[in-house]
Amino acid sequence: MSGMYNAHRGMGPAPGNPRLNELLDQVRAEFETQARASGEYEHSIGQQLQEMQMVREKVYQMEQTHMALKQKYDEEIARLHRELEARGGPSVSRTGGPPQHVGPTQAPPPSIGHGPSNLFGGIMAGQGQSGPGLPPQPTPQDQGPPQHQMPQPPGLQQGPPPPAQGPFQPTGQYGPPPVQNGYPSQGPPPPASPGTIAKRGPGRGPGAPATPNLGPQHHEQRPGPIPGPSYNSHVANVGNALAELDLERLPDHQKKVESDWFAIFNPQIPRVLDVDLLHTLQHESVVCCVRFSHDGKYVATGCNRSAQIFDVHTGQKVCVLQDDSADAAGDLYIRSVCFSPDGKYLATGAEDKLIRVWDIASRKIRNTFAGHEQDIYSLDFAKDGRTIASGSGDRTVRLWDIETGNHLMSLSIEDGVTTVAISPDTRYVAAGSLDKSVRVWDIATGYLVERLEGPDGHKDSVYSVAFAPNGKDLVSGSLDRTIKMWELMAPRGGHPNTGPKGGRCIKTYEGHKDFVLSVALTPDGAWVLSGSKDRGVQFWDPRTGTTQLMLQGHKNSVISVAPSPAPGGYFATGSGDMRARIWCYKNIAPL
């Protein structure tokens, strides 16, 4: 065995075999070649990194230079504007117009969130923002001394409410200069940062992306002349944009001018309405929402930390509902209020993500519903008296039962919910969203039966929806400055999610000069009401799409409009000027 083993070992290569040495030399040479190539690559990459760093530094320097030049340019423009006004020239102040810079015509609306970057923050502070929903710093020509920072409803300008003005002096111009028309002027807004995502504080949950920039859509949707005979050939035909008419040039029957409000009636169609102010309800903060009781005797308002109830006929405050157990730090705006059909309860939705159902007689909380993960922006009470729908920035619509105290259903969508409405027959719930669409669900099954969008749909976030009294039509208002009437088509047979959605846009109302923040229909369905960041309220004929009148009665955005469900022609408005107002309209013989 030993001999065999030794013989076997002798079969291997002998030490110093030339062939092996040659192969090793080749491997060593190849390794050295690759090492040199690798070193060259590393040197080349290092040079490229240095070049990129130089480019980055040059771009940064160019940006700094650009910012410095732009700041000087803006300061010079502001100085020239002030000099022009001081010399008696025309005012250059603007209300709700696009930013004074080349590029996108409008900053993106804010994303839903909390605090100063929430849905309602910054819209009224002008178009310039450092990010969606983030109000710019106040400037001397825009407002008075700095006030406490608060999450603001759509269109709220920062700073104190405008000071009381003298007698009303009509000029007929939209966005009047100081001391004219009783409205304060606003300086040109700073440039915006389109497309920025709103930043959120710690523990705030997921935020929603900013809605896309409006771009040139507004230029494409300019309202044209209303067809039909001209009732006043000497008055410029501005279509539904009544704010563009010169108030002083209008004949008396086409306007109504009072000490601190005025109405313009469309000169291109017969005047068939009159309007009057009944009460001004002063508040200590922004009025986020207004809502009538079903018998029309009371109107509720939502503001900072409290909901308030007023007698419609006397204008007297009869009730204040405030949860003293809520965190006292900071602001707590009541975004939505809604009476139960029997008038016994008032539901409120707030920034603390809670729904409170108040027993009005006892001033006590009957139900508290928790579950939403972000601010609650909208509530609606069903006609059955027990179901409540809520919409929140957490991208859900939720249904609640006040009798059992249960959460019935959660309906999720892709973006924040801004507004909800329950149909008159309690079969459907509709919601508007930051994603520009309106959705309608079957309440019994939770199935999505309509998604109203597309080429005929809104071009920006939907802020308000309301069912028509017939339950078959739906009206929506959007940041694209339009109102749309939709005809709903219930699915016929089969699973609601399998067939095509049948809803279609049957009419688009154009004429507001800025975001449409609230829409509603009168109980007889004869008129569509709208409130806007342009401070105006308009009455629209739902059949023709023409506006009957434009009412200017607030010194800030009209955040909420609500008609009374009862006969009598009452309607209410809530505004960023810290006031709610109760009005009435009536039919008159055509003028």
Side-chain angles (χ1 to χ4, degrees), residues 465-516:
V465 295
F467 277 97
N470 62 14
K472 298 178 181 179
D473 298 325
L474 185 78
V475 67
S476 58
S478 168
L479 299 192
D480 66 8
R481 311 184 187 188
T482 71
I483 302 146
K484 290 183 181 288
M485 179 71 76
W486 304 87
E487 181 182 53
L488 304 180
M489 300 287 288
R492 303 178 183 276
H495 193 287
N497 287 340
T498 60
K501 306 299 185 288
R504 64 187 182 97
C505 178
I506 57 177
K507 190 68 67 175
T508 297
Y509 313 102
E510 298 176 295
H512 276 296
K513 295 175 70 69
D514 215 318
F515 303 153
V516 177

Side-chain angles (χ1 to χ4, degrees), residues 404-428:
T404 64
N406 292 334
H407 172 220
L408 301 177
M409 188 181 298
S410 182
L411 307 167
S412 297
I413 65 171
E414 293 84 2
D415 215 332
V417 178
T418 59
T419 174
V420 295
I422 297 178
S423 63
D425 60 7
T426 316
R427 291 184 60 192
Y428 304 105

Side-chain angles (χ1 to χ4, degrees), residues 307-338:
Q308 303 180 20
I309 300 177
F310 297 83
D311 184 292
V312 170
H313 295 286
T314 66
Q316 296 299 308
K317 187 186 301 182
V318 297
C319 182
V320 176
L321 303 174
Q322 181 169 332
D323 186 358
D324 294 327
S325 67
D327 187 356
D331 298 303
L332 180 60
Y333 277 88
I334 309 300
R335 300 296 192 190
S336 185
V337 295
C338 189

Side-chain angles (χ1 to χ4, degrees), residues 250-568:
L250 290 174
D252 290 342
H253 70 278
Q254 289 173 359
K255 62 185 178 182
K256 187 168 189 175
V257 181
E258 300 296 339
S259 61
D260 66 344
W261 65 273
F262 68 90
I264 293 178
F265 301 90
N266 193 338
Q268 306 302 322
I269 59 175
R271 175 183 169 184
V272 296
L273 289 181
D274 192 20
V275 64
D276 275 301
L277 173 65
L278 296 184
H279 304 294
T280 297
L281 313 175
Q282 192 66 45
H283 291 65
E284 295 182 356
S285 67
V286 172
V287 180
C288 302
C289 50
V290 292
R291 200 73 169 262
F292 281 89
S293 61
H294 284 252
D295 60 9
K297 295 181 180 179
Y298 301 99
V299 66
T301 63
C303 54
N304 190 18
R305 296 206 159 269
S306 70
Q308 303 180 20
I309 300 177
F310 297 83
D311 184 292
V312 170
H313 295 286
T314 66
Q316 296 299 308
K317 187 186 301 182
V318 297
C319 182
V320 176
L321 303 174
Q322 181 169 332
D323 186 358
D324 294 327
S325 67
D327 187 356
D331 298 303
L332 180 60
Y333 277 88
I334 309 300
R335 300 296 192 190
S336 185
V337 295
C338 189
F339 284 95
S340 62
D342 59 11
K344 294 181 179 180
Y345 309 121
L346 185 76
T348 64
E351 293 179 328
D352 61 1
K353 315 169 192 175
L354 297 180
I355 300 167
R356 297 171 176 86
V357 181
W358 295 83
D359 184 303
I360 297 173
S362 66
R363 272 69 162 174
K364 302 294 184 182
I365 296 176
R366 182 184 190 275
N367 305 86
T368 300
F369 294 117
H372 279 297
E373 298 176 0
Q374 290 189 23
D375 300 12
I376 296 166
Y377 294 114
S378 184
L379 295 176
D380 200 15
F381 232 119
K383 292 289 181 66
D384 63 9
R386 61 185 296 173
T387 305
I388 294 176
S390 59
S392 166
D394 64 8
R395 311 180 186 186
T396 65
V397 175
R398 296 176 185 249
L399 299 176
W400 315 84
D401 188 329
I402 69 167
E403 295 299 327
T404 64
N406 292 334
H407 172 220
L408 301 177
M409 188 181 298
S410 182
L411 307 167
S412 297
I413 65 171
E414 293 84 2
D415 215 332
V417 178
T418 59
T419 174
V420 295
I422 297 178
S423 63
D425 60 7
T426 316
R427 291 184 60 192
Y428 304 105
V429 60
S433 169
L434 291 181
D435 67 4
K436 314 175 191 178
S437 67
V438 178
R439 295 169 176 83
V440 182
W441 293 270
D442 184 298
I443 289 180
T445 63
Y447 290 146
L448 180 68
V449 296
E450 298 283 4
R451 181 162 177 165
L452 308 174
E453 57 185 3
D456 295 329
H458 285 294
K459 304 299 187 292
D460 207 333
S461 304
V462 178
Y463 263 41
S464 184
V465 295
F467 277 97
N470 62 14
K472 298 178 181 179
D473 298 325
L474 185 78
V475 67
S476 58
S478 168
L479 299 192
D480 66 8
R481 311 184 187 188
T482 71
I483 302 146
K484 290 183 181 288
M485 179 71 76
W486 304 87
E487 181 182 53
L488 304 180
M489 300 287 288
R492 303 178 183 276
H495 193 287
N497 287 340
T498 60
K501 306 299 185 288
R504 64 187 182 97
C505 178
I506 57 177
K507 190 68 67 175
T508 297
Y509 313 102
E510 298 176 295
H512 276 296
K513 295 175 70 69
D514 215 318
F515 303 153
V516 177
L517 304 176
S518 183
V519 293
L521 289 105
T522 56
D524 58 2
W527 301 101
V528 172
L529 277 65
S530 59
S532 169
K533 184 176 178 283
D534 64 16
R535 309 180 184 183
V537 175
Q538 295 196 192
F539 274 65
W540 307 81
D541 185 328
R543 299 161 299 175
T544 64
T546 57
T547 186
Q548 167 71 198
L549 67 88
M550 180 202 67
L551 175 65
Q552 283 278 348
H554 285 284
K555 295 178 174 63
N556 210 315
S557 295
V558 179
I559 302 169
S560 181
V561 295
S564 172

Side-chain angles (χ1 to χ4, degrees), residues 91-103:
S91 172
V92 295
S93 298
R94 301 170 63 88
T95 302
Q100 299 299 300
H101 69 103
V102 178

